[in-house]
Amino acid sequence: MTRINISPVTRIEGHAEVRIDLDETGGVESAHFNVVELRGFEKFLIGAAVEEAPRITPRICGICPTSHHVASALACDQIFGADIPDTAKYLRELLMHGQYVHSHSLHFFMLAAPDFLIGHEVPADERNILGLVKKEPEIAKKAIIVRKFGQRLTEAIGGKPIHPSSAIPGGMSHAITETQRTELLEMATEARTIAEECWSLARDILDKTDLSFGAVDTAFMGGTENGRYSVCGGTTNVIDTDGTPLSSFSGAAYLDHIEEYSEDWSYLKFSRLNDGRYYRVGPLARLNIVDTMGTPAADAALDEYRDKFGRCVQTTLAYNPARYIEFLASCERAVELLSDTSIISDEVRTPVDEVVNTRGVGIIEAPRGTLIHDYTVNEDGFMEKCNLIVATCQNNRAMDQGVFDVARKVVSNGTISESGKNQIEMVIRAYDPCISCATHAIGRMPFKCTIVPKRKGLMKKR
Ligand code: NI
């Protein structure tokens, strides 16, 4: 067999392929996570009025629009020199929690859970959300209820269920009403109950799984606010492979700590620390960095997680329970924020009128990891330079290494079993990569795995 294709491979967000090159004996010589799409938002934003960016950048992705929206608004606040009202800060935080609830529950219940609850040895056409509905109908029902809450929260605060538009330079375009607060609080409370009930499922999900899969040893980066878990606000922190703090920064200082680079096999950019070392972002990284989640059930879950995996966790598949703990924290925090009636205050915006700084850097923690929007404008506020660094680029190297690690274990004499293919995907899926965000891709999202034997010229024909 000269080439093996997995097509379509589902349950990742974007269009990607895995390429495995074999040596003469049919063993694995190299393996890459390979992204082949490009959109180019950073280029076509040049010349746009910067206040349009919070409305344009959510179109990068239908999965993570809120993260781009809020990061963009933060960069705009700096450019217009605005100190936003507290209620606007809380509304933006709530908007982010809506994104977390929606995105993390999508990943946990619908993308990752079928591997664990149905089993990776089961045929692909049964290993999906429909298979889950058949096998675990109650869990599937709960997943739909929490996702509905995340979507409704985004719609009520963001103005639209998918591409929110309410975060603007200086704050928010509208407040929420008491009727909305009551409705959302009821939904948040129900979501919190479900999140608490299903924690044991998430906690035990890896019990029968080989935890060495996709192993890499990296530093980590993530945001906190005085040691507390924070999705928007605070500082960005880097820790070493053993958890030792390395640095802490905010705003444009990120360039003193990380750098981007590219490889010739992928349109997806890579990031590394300025000293050349690799780091990871997202749930695993954030939970390695925080002292506390700041809410009771998530803190109790964090204790159990640390008892099981340790204080600084390198296990790639632990992204799954770590993500669940964040989902639980978002449900709890949403209840907290919505229980405070000051959230309906109509003081949601500081008026802005002129450019105060020609550069603004918005850094937030998106569900998949640290997200940076770096804008430079002219004195009239038109974009001159735009750099977006998304989570998937920062995890790119680790995903690539993880694919290589699993490929070496599951490819034998140039062949790979159905279960082996899915084990490669499980490692990629643990990171919940968003290819749409990372390359700004359009279209269907198949995934292809190609095994290329050692033969002169074949790789060039691909
Ligand atoms: Ni995305």
Side-chain angles (χ1 to χ4, degrees):
M1 184 173 285
T2 56
R3 186 173 292 179
I4 296 173
N5 292 327
I6 303 174
S7 183
V9 172
T10 52
R11 295 183 285 138
I12 67 163
E13 284 135 10
H15 188 146
E17 65 180 32
V18 165
R19 191 183 73 202
I20 303 170
D21 295 326
L22 301 178
D23 60 22
E24 286 87 351
T25 65
V28 175
E29 186 173 272
S30 67
H32 289 303
F33 176 65
N34 180 8
V35 172
V36 292
E37 301 166 339
L38 183 69
R39 272 172 92 185
F41 269 74
E42 288 153 318
K43 287 295 172 204
F44 69 68
L45 275 163
I46 304 295
V50 73
E51 64 268 25
E52 294 290 341
R55 282 195 290 270
I56 295 171
T57 56
R59 265 68 183 180
I60 289 170
C61 179
I63 305 291
C64 333
T66 301
S67 303
H68 288 291
H69 185 53
V70 174
S72 184
L74 279 172
C76 288
D77 293 340
Q78 291 164 28
I79 285 168
F80 291 101
D83 190 12
I84 73 170
D86 283 347
T87 303
K89 281 182 196 160
Y90 294 137
L91 286 172
R92 285 184 186 179
E93 188 191 340
L94 258 178
L95 200 52
M96 286 296 294
H97 289 304
Q99 165 102 90
Y100 267 75
V101 169
H102 191 259
S103 179
H104 276 6
S105 63
L106 165 73
H107 183 271
F108 182 79
F109 290 107
M110 299 184 184
L111 304 186
D115 291 327
F116 301 102
L117 299 181
I118 298 175
H120 60 72
E121 66 289 346
V122 170
D125 58 358
E126 294 169 34
R127 202 185 335 108
N128 52 36
I129 182 61
L130 295 177
L132 189 69
V133 168
K134 219 180 201 175
K135 191 173 177 201
E136 304 277 359
E138 284 310 307
I139 292 174
K141 255 188 240 170
K142 286 173 178 173
I144 289 167
I145 291 171
V146 292
R147 276 178 51 71
K148 191 176 171 190
F149 164 58
Q151 198 84 355
R152 178 68 189 124
L153 193 57
T154 309
E155 183 178 27
I157 296 169
K160 295 179 197 167
I162 299 211
H163 293 121
S165 56
S166 59
I168 53 176
M172 299 293 282
S173 61
H174 68 271
I176 57 168
T177 63
E178 175 58 18
T179 309
Q180 285 174 316
R181 185 187 76 82
T182 313
E183 178 209 348
L184 293 171
L185 179 57
E186 196 176 310
M187 292 179 89
T189 307
E190 185 181 19
R192 183 182 63 179
T193 303
I194 290 172
E196 288 174 353
E197 284 170 359
C198 293
W199 160 240
S200 58
L201 184 72
R203 183 191 58 205
D204 301 336
I205 208 168
L206 297 180
D207 277 352
K208 293 177 192 154
T209 306
D210 178 357
L211 295 179
S212 69
F213 260 35
V216 285
D217 210 30
T218 64
F220 296 98
M221 190 168 94
T224 58
E225 197 155 9
N226 302 318
R228 178 184 160 138
Y229 172 72
S230 169
V231 296
C232 52
T235 56
T236 305
N237 315 281
V238 182
I239 60 169
D240 211 338
T241 50
D242 62 357
T244 308
L246 289 177
S247 59
S248 217
F249 59 88
S250 58
Y254 78 89
L255 286 172
D256 298 332
H257 301 272
I258 61 170
E259 62 185 17
E260 293 179 283
Y261 68 103
S262 58
E263 298 280 7
D264 59 6
W265 71 78
S266 181
Y267 282 128
L268 194 60
K269 284 194 288 188
F270 292 75
S271 287
R272 62 189 167 204
L273 299 178
N274 278 353
D275 63 10
R277 286 188 295 163
Y278 300 112
Y279 68 95
R280 285 185 279 178
V281 296
L284 187 76
R286 288 187 287 250
L287 263 58
N288 281 340
I289 291 169
V290 298
D291 297 327
T292 169
M293 299 301 291
T295 50
D299 268 330
L302 180 64
D303 285 344
E304 288 185 64
Y305 169 88
R306 285 180 174 166
D307 283 347
K308 192 166 187 167
F309 297 109
R311 178 62 182 82
C312 185
V313 187
Q314 292 285 354
T315 307
T316 297
L317 292 178
Y319 263 98
N320 292 298
R323 187 174 290 112
Y324 193 93
I325 292 173
E326 294 192 332
F327 157 61
L328 178 54
S330 279
C331 293
E332 289 187 287
R333 184 70 181 139
V335 171
E336 269 182 22
L337 287 164
L338 288 162
S339 298
D340 184 342
T341 52
S342 69
I343 196 81
I344 62 167
S345 160
D346 54 11
E347 279 181 44
V348 294
R349 191 181 179 208
T350 305
V352 299
D353 55 8
E354 59 182 32
V355 171
V356 175
N357 302 299
T358 54
R359 187 157 177 215
V361 179
I363 305 182
I364 61 151
E365 287 299 317
R368 286 157 189 78
T370 310
L371 171 66
I372 302 171
H373 278 220
D374 182 354
Y375 305 157
T376 301
V377 301
N378 66 16
E379 58 188 21
D380 296 319
F382 291 100
M383 193 86 82
E384 291 191 328
K385 201 173 155 197
C386 171
N387 192 31
L388 311 175
I389 303 182
V390 305
T392 299
C393 298
Q394 296 168 85
N395 284 336
N396 198 359
R397 185 74 192 181
M399 284 192 283
D400 204 55
Q401 287 184 320
V403 164
F404 182 51
D405 174 70
V406 184
R408 279 187 304 180
K409 290 174 181 161
V410 299
V411 172
S412 170
N413 295 323
T415 60
I416 183 171
S417 67
E418 195 60 34
S419 167
K421 289 176 197 169
N422 192 47
Q423 286 168 54
I424 290 178
E425 290 179 68
M426 278 169 68
V427 166
I428 296 169
R429 204 176 286 132
Y431 291 94
D432 191 17
C434 188
I435 312 299
S436 311
C437 271
T439 62
H440 318 157
I442 297 176
R444 270 187 80 232
M445 300 177 175
F447 173 101
K448 188 168 77 175
C449 178
T450 305
I451 295 189
V452 185
K454 186 87 169 179
R455 193 191 296 170
K456 206 175 171 187
L458 184 63
M459 281 173 62
K460 289 184 181 169
K461 290 178 189 168
R462 286 181 68 249

